[in-house]
């Protein structure tokens, strides 16, 4: 269905752009499918056919915006790389915008594919960090362990227990995973 | 607003009961506020006034059903108590019913209070287990640490990465927290 550069890709790009523009103009609560369609220059039925409803469209837009734009920063050793990444991940996800995208991604996602994509983004970033560590000859945990020890607790607290989400907490999770430097 | 035994409590009980009955009769997709109101013997405006919309009502019903009915089973030592609890928690939350309640609890929860209640239930159960361990003279982690190491990864995987959620995984998380018996 999606041919790069074809009509399908153009429709997706213009509908996503329309959502982003209208969100900043009328706010989330003011969004409707007819409004998005008019701005994107498509018919409402094009949107209903492709996305089902507004919630599913917002979930797709959220996943696009949760996609990391760059590889994780390279600091030179595993602990520094993981701390920097965890701190930035927490800061982005726990921001009001990040929280809204996470909610959107989960809500309009009947088959779980967008939530899975969200987790795959984190796993890919972590894999880059762990591969660099292995290339430097450092011993490193595996990706699933980092998801359990760092990403899982951060996302759980964002959704269910949102107090105390700061850089110190991100560092504490990395210390719990790698051990204390003076321990 | 809520006077135990008063009209408000009776309305809540009958509306919650109506949701549960109708869910099993017409399914989730068939639920509407007028249908629930008719079954509960109240006007639709009573529901809109008190709950806002169907999603917020479903979130409240989900939280009621996620409330633990009994204290955690006492096996006699911290590791056995935590393993048994983690295994049961994972099994309940990862079941189709559990997943539906978690989704409902999150979706119709604009101020995050129901998600917070969901986390508070887990924290209370864990606190019972840790207090028993302390009473037996065992050393034990704190509640927040168990949330980070056991509850967080379980809930993260249920929502974002649902493969491999079995009893062995629950035990592995407890081993990661308490250390290996032969390690």
């Amino acid at each position: 269905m999606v041919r790069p550069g074809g009509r399908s890709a153009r429709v997706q790009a213009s509908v996503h752009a329309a959502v982003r523009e209208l969100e900043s103009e009328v706010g989330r609560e003011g969004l409707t499918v007819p409004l998005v369609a008019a701005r994107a220059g498509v018919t409402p039925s094009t949107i209903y056919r492709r996305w089902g409803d507004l919630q599913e469209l917002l979930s797709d837009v959220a996943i696009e915006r949760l996609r990391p734009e760059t590889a994780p920063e390279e600091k030179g050793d595993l602990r520094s790389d993981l701390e920097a990444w965890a701190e930035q991940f927490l800061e982005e996800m726990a921001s009001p915008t990040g929280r809204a995208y996470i909610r959107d991604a989960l809500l309009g996602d009947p088959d779980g594919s967008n939530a899975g994509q969200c987790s795959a983004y984190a796993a890919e970033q972590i894999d880059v960090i762990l591969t660099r560590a292995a290339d430097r000859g450092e011993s490193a945990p595996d990706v699933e362990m980092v998801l359990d020890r760092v990403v899982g607790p951060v996302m759980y607290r964002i959704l269910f227990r949102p107090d105390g989400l700061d850089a110190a907490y991100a560092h504490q999770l990395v210390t719990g995973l790698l051990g204390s430097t003076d321990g």
Side-chain angles (χ1 to χ4, degrees), chain A:
Chain A
M1 175 172 168
V2 178
R3 196 157 33 102
R7 174 172 149 73
S8 174
R10 285 198 308 276
V11 166
Q12 170 164 327
S14 64
V15 169
H16 279 211
V19 169
R20 291 194 299 268
E21 288 170 26
L22 287 166
E23 266 186 340
S24 62
E25 290 170 25
V26 303
R28 165 67 53 77
E29 299 306 311
L31 284 182
T32 63
V33 167
L35 203 59
V36 171
R39 177 65 60 97
V42 303
T43 62
S45 68
T46 298
I47 292 182
Y48 291 120
R49 234 184 355 255
R50 178 149 175 177
W51 281 280
D53 62 18
L54 182 64
Q55 220 164 42
E56 292 187 46
L57 170 57
L58 290 178
S59 180
D60 280 4
V61 171
I63 282 299
E64 274 306 301
R65 306 188 86 176
L66 289 167
R67 181 197 300 274
E69 285 169 3
T70 56
E73 202 181 342
E74 183 158 11
K75 298 282 196 178
D77 64 274
L78 174 61
R79 181 181 301 268
S80 308
D81 283 8
L82 266 184
E83 280 179 353
W85 181 79
E87 191 178 327
Q88 194 192 343
F89 178 78
L90 185 151
E91 188 182 312
E92 287 177 5
M93 295 292 159
S95 70
T97 316
R99 287 172 197 261
Y101 290 149
I102 294 167
R103 274 187 77 81
D104 280 349
L106 286 174
L107 303 207
D109 188 32
D111 65 355
S113 62
N114 280 347
Q117 185 58 59
C118 183
S119 181
Y121 289 154
E124 284 159 19
Q125 298 284 94
I126 291 164
D127 190 51
V128 169
I129 292 170
L130 300 180
T131 301
R132 282 180 191 153
D135 289 348
R136 285 189 299 252
E138 293 181 88
S139 75
D142 68 11
V143 171
E144 297 300 326
M145 175 71 86
V146 181
L147 289 170
D148 280 339
R149 292 292 187 88
V150 179
V151 175
V154 165
M155 296 295 274
Y156 172 69
R157 287 181 183 271
I158 286 172
L159 288 166
F160 293 95
R161 202 172 180 87
D163 289 341
L165 283 163
D166 54 19
Y169 177 68
H171 286 218
Q172 173 193 320
L173 293 174
V174 173
T175 301
L177 172 65
L178 299 180
S180 170
T181 43
D182 50 31

